[in-house]
């Protein structure tokens, strides 16, 4: 087992200090408003559509449930920040999740629907359902009508179909009538379940959701990632045996890429800190593991291929696989640095926070057409090999809010508690 000495806190590179304005609270508030203005154009009759590079909805007629959920979530956060116009957009998302995106015959949510209202796939995924819970929790905190009923229904679906008490984690997916369960387990869906459970637990006051989030984190991070030298194991079989060769022939799969995804190391670090702050008696390993994941992400992800920015994925040995620069990887690194600095007071984390916001401002933020470039080449020019267009603003809006909010409770509940 690796000892702490092999994973020191990152030593910042010596160069000109980043701009002191980018990343400050006023700058973050302005960037949040700019991103939300872009996102408003995503509204379509059945939810929120996939936006292209210039902010127009793609004309394929498809509505993806995860996009509708994430947009509903960010508009709920906007409403809680005082944006009154966002209330109608939250309600629109809730209507879509209670209407065309919901399977009235078998229960649960489709992954999406086409222009004729037909399901986009024959599966019901834990990833999708985690985002339904997140959207419903945020809308509940925002006091929107019907939100609490949706939250209750989505948590009940998780309870009945996805949560495995024996495994202490979520199964990955089912067919539409809930008869066939996929023989795959994924860290990504379980990570977003942790996010959703923290939000749901804070809104409902039910401690079971934090307890389950802790069980997931213990298995995925404290056991598997720690044993893998903090290179997060993403893919497992039904017995939770690591599948290191999974999708080797599809290294840039948008949901299940081969190897380990650097952005998830930072995302998990932030969630571990949220768990640590949100529990009455948290285990000490949550903070330790968060710092270890962060250090590994810097060491093996940042500028490692001779070009500026984070590589997307690495293999089992930590060697880069997909070198594309993804916007969401950078936002999660920024968010993790902000929370770690708040929790520990270590100035290194503030340095990385400033460095990465400066990098975002220089190459990712699209001042001409709105939002951020979602993908760049290693040379930092726009690309679309994994994620064409600018599907949503979930990661970017959260990156503008996390530095301005406490580590716990979750974002929506934290904002609700600040309302007079």
């Amino acid at each position: 087992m690796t000892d702490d000495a092999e994973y020191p806190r990152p030593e910042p590179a010596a160069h000109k200090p980043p701009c002191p304005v980018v990343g400050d609270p006023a700058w973050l508030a302005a960037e949040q408003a700019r991103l939300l203005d872009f996102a408003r154009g995503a509204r379509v009759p059945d939810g929120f559509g996939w936006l292209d590079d210039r902010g127009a909805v793609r004309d394929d007629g498809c509505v993806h449930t995860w996009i509708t959920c994430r947009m509903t979530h960010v508009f709920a956060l906007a409403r809680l920040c005082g944006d009154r116009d966002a209330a109608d957009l939250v309600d629109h998302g809730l209507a879509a999740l209670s209407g065309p995106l919901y399977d009235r015959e078998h229960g649960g949510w489709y992954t999406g629907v086409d222009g004729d209202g037909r399901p986009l796939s024959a599966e019901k995924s834990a990833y999708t359902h985690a985002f339904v819970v997140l959207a419903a929790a945020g809308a509940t905190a925002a006091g929107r009508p019907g939100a609490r009923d949706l939250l209750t229904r989505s948590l009940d679906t998780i309870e009945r179909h996805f949560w495995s008490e024996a495994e202490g984690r979520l199964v990955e997916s089912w067919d539409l009538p809930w008869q066939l369960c996929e023989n795959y387990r994924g860290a990504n869906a379980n990570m977003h379940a942790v996010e959703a459970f923290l939000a749901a637990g804070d809104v409902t006051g039910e401690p079971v959701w934090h307890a389950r989030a802790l069980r997931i984190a213990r298995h995925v991070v404290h056991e598997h990632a720690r044993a893998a030298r903090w290179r997060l194991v993403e893919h497992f079989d039904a017995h939770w045996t690591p599948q290191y060769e999974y999708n080797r022939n599809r290294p840039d799969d948008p949901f299940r890429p081969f190897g380990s995804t650097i952005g998830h190391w930072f995302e998990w670090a932030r969630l571990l800190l949220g768990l640590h702050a949100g529990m009455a008696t948290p285990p000490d390993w949550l903070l330790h593991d968060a710092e270890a994941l962060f250090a590994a992400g810097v060491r093996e992800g940042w500028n490692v291929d001779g070009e500026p920015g984070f590589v997307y994925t690495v293999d089992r040995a930590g060697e880069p696989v997909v070198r594309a620069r993804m916007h969401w990887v950078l936002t999660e690194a920024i968010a993790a640095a902000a929370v770690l600095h708040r929790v520990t007071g270590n100035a290194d984390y503030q340095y990385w926070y400033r460095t990465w916001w400066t990098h975002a401002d220089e190459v990712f933020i699209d001042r001409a057409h709105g939002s951020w470039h979602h993908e760049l080449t290693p040379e930092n020019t726009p690309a679309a090999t994994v994620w064409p267009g600018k599907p949503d603003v979930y990661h970017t809006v959260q990156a503008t809010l996390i530095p301005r909010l406490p580590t716990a409770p979750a974002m929506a509940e934290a904002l609700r508690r600040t309302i007079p």
Side-chain angles (χ1 to χ4, degrees), residues 83-138:
D83 183 344
R84 294 189 177 278
D85 292 338
D88 181 60
L89 293 166
V90 179
D91 294 348
H92 178 71
L94 295 175
L97 292 170
S98 297
L101 299 175
Y102 183 72
D103 182 351
R104 295 189 178 278
E105 180 179 0
H106 303 292
W109 284 266
Y110 301 126
T111 59
V113 294
D114 65 17
D116 295 319
R118 296 172 299 200
L120 290 179
S121 77
E123 74 167 11
K124 291 196 172 95
S125 72
Y127 181 90
T128 296
H129 285 72
F131 277 114
V132 175
V133 171
L134 184 68

Side-chain angles (χ1 to χ4, degrees), residues 156-239:
D156 179 65
T157 304
I158 291 280
E159 179 82 37
R160 287 188 292 113
H161 297 294
F162 290 104
W163 175 255
S164 169
E165 183 62 25
E167 298 173 31
R169 282 149 286 184
L170 269 60
V171 303
E172 185 71 14
S173 73
W174 293 84
D175 62 353
L176 293 182
W178 306 107
Q179 294 179 350
L180 298 175
C181 183
E182 184 180 6
N183 290 322
Y184 168 89
R185 302 291 186 266
N188 187 21
N190 276 275
M191 179 187 71
H192 284 293
V194 169
E195 176 186 35
F197 288 0
L198 292 179
D202 288 334
V203 167
T204 64
E206 297 172 359
V208 63
W209 301 111
H210 282 69
R212 287 181 177 177
L214 181 63
R215 290 183 68 187
I216 294 171
R218 184 185 299 277
H219 287 299
V220 175
V221 176
H222 194 56
E223 294 178 9
H224 286 290
R226 183 166 175 255
R229 300 174 63 87
W230 303 109
R231 295 171 189 133
L232 187 77
V233 183
E234 302 276 6
H235 310 296
F236 302 84
D237 66 14
H239 303 289

Side-chain angles (χ1 to χ4, degrees), residues 45-88:
D46 288 344
F48 295 103
W50 187 306
L51 295 173
D52 66 15
D53 289 333
R54 294 174 177 262
V57 175
R58 295 199 307 186
D59 61 3
D60 60 4
C62 296
V63 175
H64 297 264
T65 304
W66 61 273
I67 290 179
T68 293
C69 290
R70 281 157 48 147
M71 288 295 207
T72 303
H73 166 67
V74 298
F75 286 125
L77 296 176
R79 177 66 192 92
L80 287 160
C81 287
D83 183 344
R84 294 189 177 278
D85 292 338
D88 181 60

Side-chain angles (χ1 to χ4, degrees), residues 23 101 136 254 274 295 324 380 396 399:
L101 299 175
N380 288 309
T396 47

